[in-house]
């Protein structure tokens, strides 16, 4: 087989065989196929697309390019939830204990945040003592005994994707549905769960800016998952404005606690239930999605979800008292209100820009090496569709520096108030 012939085949719109796709990904991973040929191949896919079969093969070839996590020592159906990335997305912190409270194993491998999106591990580390540096054996035993554990990224997962993603970044081939879908799914499949629930975000703060693009990506990923034997479902959800009210690490832990108590922001609660019911259903613990949702609401009502969160924190070295005493979470030195300058209705809160405003305070990383400040962030006091009077606070800034003029300016530039606006639809579609 010669790479040049395979590039030509895809360029001419023909379908590649499984063997051909494996040859390309193996050759690229071990360095036999150079970047310039892979660039041409990625561009050919960009213009010619791939069939569902080719997409599944590409995904599995990338899975097989490196280590995979074996979760077979964990009893039960392991369901993973993956979000395509957003601002103030506190769903994992809520869903992990919520689903585990129903005896469904949550074996989560998580990452740190970069840029305007936060990372689950950073958020959890705002709880004093909490750590994710646990051994594989400890991880398995925690999930078997307590149904929940979070571990930091381990092993050399999907090296082919790492190499290809970096190449796509500089060859204008990131924005291709088959390439994005196989990239995301390869990482999820290598992480070992039996079933996958995807939260595909759409809007200013998301990778996919329109619901149509998000829908296409969701269908592509669900198809790949199901084709390779992992039950997969997706929710398409709004990320035009940040999710919930809190953006920032310890602020989001507090928000997760409120939500587990049944007093969280309405949008965060709605999305957690929409994703959670799919997780419970795929785990085989409910006869229908409605039944699954009822079970989730019950463990919020009876306090079991909150108890599970305390148990989880204690198991990983954290102080569970933060749940009843949130003042024990890191607190910022200054709270600064950002008042509305006119009467009206909030029409726009540009998610990615507001995420960047939180990053300026130190809540997120500008580069992989940046240190983050777990205490700082933003609390949105108004969301799209809310009425506001001049002088009323739009946002509370939690800062560890006195002068926050740069952040205030960014907030005013990205929150628009006008005469009339309605809250955006949160859950656009369920893809099964
Ligand atoms: N996120 C990924 O992991 N891969 C892509 O290709 C795009 C977004
Ligand atoms: Ca939030």
């Amino acid at each position: 087989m010669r790479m040049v012939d395979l590039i030509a085949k895809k360029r001419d719109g023909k379908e590649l065989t499984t063997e051909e796709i494996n040859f390309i990904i193996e050759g690229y991973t071990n360095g036999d196929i150079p970047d310039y040929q892979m660039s041409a191949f990625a561009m050919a896919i960009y213009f010619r697309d791939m069939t569902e079969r080719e997409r599944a093969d590409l995904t599995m070839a990338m899975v097989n390019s490196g280590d995979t996590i074996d979760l077979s020592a964990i009893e039960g159906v392991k369901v993973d939830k993956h979000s395509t990335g957003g601002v103030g997305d506190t769903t994992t912190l809520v869903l992990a204990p919520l689903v585990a409270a129903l005896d469904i194993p949550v074996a989560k491998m998580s990452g740190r945040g970069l840029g305007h999106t936060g990372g689950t591990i950073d958020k959890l580390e705002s709880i004093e003592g909490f750590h994710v540096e646990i051994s594989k054996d400890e991880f398995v035993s925690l999930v078997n005994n307590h149904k929940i554990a979070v571990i930091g990224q381990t092993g050399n997962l999907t090296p082919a994707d790492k190499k290809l993603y970096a190449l796509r970044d500089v060859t204008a081939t990131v924005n291709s549905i088959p390439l994005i879908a196989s990239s995301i799914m390869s990482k999820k499949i290598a992480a070992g769960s039996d079933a996958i629930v995807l939260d595909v975000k759409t809007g200013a703060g998301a990778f996919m800016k329109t619901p149509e693009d998000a829908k296409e990506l969701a269908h592509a990923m669900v198809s790949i998952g199901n084709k390779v034997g992992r039950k997969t479902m997706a929710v398409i959800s709004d990320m035009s404005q940040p999710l919930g009210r809190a953006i920032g690490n310890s602020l989001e832990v507090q928000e997760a606690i409120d939500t587990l108590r049944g007093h969280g922001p309405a949008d965060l609660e709605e999305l957690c239930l929409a994703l959670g019911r799919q997780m419970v259903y795929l785990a085989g613990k409910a006869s229908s999605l409605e039944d699954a949702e009822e079970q989730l609401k019950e463990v919020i009502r009876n306090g079991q979800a909150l108890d599970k969160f305390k148990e989880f924190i204690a198991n990983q070295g954290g102080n569970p008292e933060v749940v009843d005493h949130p003042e024990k979470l890191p607190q910022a030195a200054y709270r600064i209100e950002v008042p509305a300058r006119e009467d009206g209705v909030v029409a726009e809160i540009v998610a990615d820009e507001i995420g960047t405003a939180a990053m300026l305070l130190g809540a997120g990383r500008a580069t992989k090496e940046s240190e983050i400040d777990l205490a700082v962030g933003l609390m949105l006091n108004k969301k799209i569709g809310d009425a506001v009077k001049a002088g009323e606070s739009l946002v509370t800034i939690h800062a560890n520096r006195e002068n926050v003029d740069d952040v205030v300016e960014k907030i005013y530039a990205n929150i628009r108030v006008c005469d009339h606006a309605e809250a955006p639809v949160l859950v656009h579609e369920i893809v099964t």
Side-chain angles (χ1 to χ4, degrees):
M1 245 183 272
R2 292 195 317 156
M3 183 61 178
V4 62
D5 301 325
L6 302 179
I7 297 169
K9 191 172 175 185
K10 185 41 74 185
R11 178 202 63 200
D12 296 340
K14 302 205 179 86
E15 185 173 357
L16 298 171
T17 67
T18 306
E19 292 68 38
E20 287 166 340
I21 289 171
N22 287 341
F23 170 85
I24 293 167
I25 296 303
E26 274 166 34
Y28 185 55
T29 309
N30 67 27
D32 289 347
I33 293 172
D35 280 346
Y36 54 82
Q37 285 191 310
M38 201 61 184
S39 311
F41 181 63
M43 191 59 85
I45 293 174
Y46 181 94
F47 282 113
R48 290 296 196 169
D49 206 344
M50 286 184 127
T51 64
E52 292 198 359
R53 203 219 86 243
E54 285 179 303
R55 294 172 180 189
D57 284 346
L58 176 59
T59 304
M60 288 314 293
M62 294 204 288
V63 169
N64 295 326
S65 72
D67 299 336
T68 56
I69 309 288
D70 179 5
L71 297 179
S72 58
I74 296 171
E75 300 135 28
V77 181
K78 280 78 66 183
V79 189
D80 200 2
K81 191 273 301 180
H82 174 78
S83 146
T84 58
V87 177
D89 185 359
T90 317
T91 53
T92 300
L93 287 182
V94 177
L95 280 170
L98 182 56
V99 169
L102 290 172
D103 272 338
I104 295 164
V106 176
K108 186 106 192 121
M109 195 197 281
S110 263
R112 294 180 191 278
L114 185 62
H116 60 76
T117 58
T120 298
I121 291 184
D122 297 320
K123 294 172 195 178
L124 286 167
E125 282 178 350
S126 64
I127 300 167
E128 184 197 346
F130 191 98
H131 62 96
V132 295
E133 292 81 15
I134 55 178
S135 70
K136 175 84 196 303
D137 287 349
E138 197 180 344
F139 178 62
V140 167
S141 117
L142 281 176
V143 181
N144 276 335
N145 294 319
H146 302 274
K147 299 297 167 194
I148 179 169
V150 173
I151 189 171
Q153 243 119 31
T154 55
N156 178 28
L157 301 192
T158 60
D161 172 64
K162 277 196 194 82
K163 224 176 148 184
L164 180 55
Y165 198 7
L167 185 71
R168 287 165 53 210
D169 211 22
V170 293
T171 57
T173 49
V174 168
N175 249 322
S176 152
I177 295 280
L179 293 177
I180 299 170
S182 58
S183 167
I184 294 174
M185 290 304 286
S186 67
K187 287 177 277 220
K188 287 288 108 185
I189 289 161
S193 55
D194 305 305
I196 301 162
V197 173
L198 300 162
D199 179 10
V200 183
K201 307 283 195 189
T202 177
F207 203 70
M208 294 282 131
K209 304 291 177 202
T210 69
E212 293 70 35
D213 286 349
K215 187 171 160 182
E216 199 184 339
L217 179 62
H219 278 282
M221 292 194 289
V222 168
S223 159
I224 290 171
N226 288 324
K227 262 197 155 50
V228 306
R230 312 287 171 109
K231 286 183 280 180
T232 306
M233 287 185 168
V235 168
I236 295 170
S237 72
D238 179 65
M239 194 31 83
S240 57
Q241 64 179 336
L243 188 64
R245 297 193 178 278
I247 307 158
N249 298 282
S250 65
L251 295 173
E252 288 188 56
V253 170
Q254 167 76 62
E255 183 171 67
I257 293 166
D258 294 343
T259 307
L260 288 166
R261 253 187 234 288
H263 302 142
D267 59 345
L268 178 59
E269 182 176 318
E270 182 185 343
L271 185 59
C272 286
L273 290 173
L275 293 164
R277 62 194 211 142
Q278 295 196 345
M279 295 173 78
V280 175
Y281 181 72
L282 287 180
K285 294 273 185 181
S287 55
S288 65
L289 289 170
E290 293 69 33
D291 172 26
E293 183 161 336
E294 257 328 295
Q295 294 187 42
L296 290 165
K297 286 179 172 163
E298 180 55 27
V299 288
I300 291 176
R301 270 195 296 266
N302 67 20
Q304 286 176 7
L306 202 61
D307 287 346
K308 186 54 80 174
F309 194 44
K310 289 182 191 167
E311 186 183 332
F312 163 56
I313 293 170
N315 286 341
Q316 297 201 218
N319 179 3
E321 287 175 26
V322 299
V323 172
D324 294 319
H325 299 280
E327 69 280 3
K328 296 192 181 198
L329 287 165
Q331 305 286 322
Y334 303 97
R335 292 187 188 191
I336 303 135
E337 305 300 336
V338 183
R341 293 192 277 211
E342 65 213 306
D343 292 0
V345 178
V346 176
E348 204 175 11
I349 306 178
V350 184
D352 50 349
E353 293 292 335
I354 294 297
T356 303
M359 190 181 76
L360 291 176
L361 291 166
R365 289 185 182 78
T367 71
K368 270 186 194 151
E369 285 71 37
S370 322
E371 285 276 327
I372 57 174
D373 184 339
L374 298 167
V376 303
L378 304 173
M379 286 298 291
L380 305 179
N381 300 316
K382 299 286 172 184
K383 301 267 312 216
I384 297 178
D386 288 349
V388 61
K389 292 237 169 292
E392 233 186 320
S393 178
L394 291 169
V395 176
T396 306
I397 299 174
H398 292 241
N400 272 330
R401 54 178 159 103
E402 209 169 343
N403 185 329
V404 289
D405 291 350
D406 54 335
V407 179
V408 171
E409 192 186 329
K410 200 154 190 68
I411 290 170
Y412 278 128
N414 290 288
I415 297 187
R416 196 164 54 85
V417 173
C418 67
D419 291 345
H420 178 81
E422 272 170 34
V425 173
L426 178 66
V427 174
H428 286 276
E429 200 170 312
I430 308 292
V431 179
T432 57

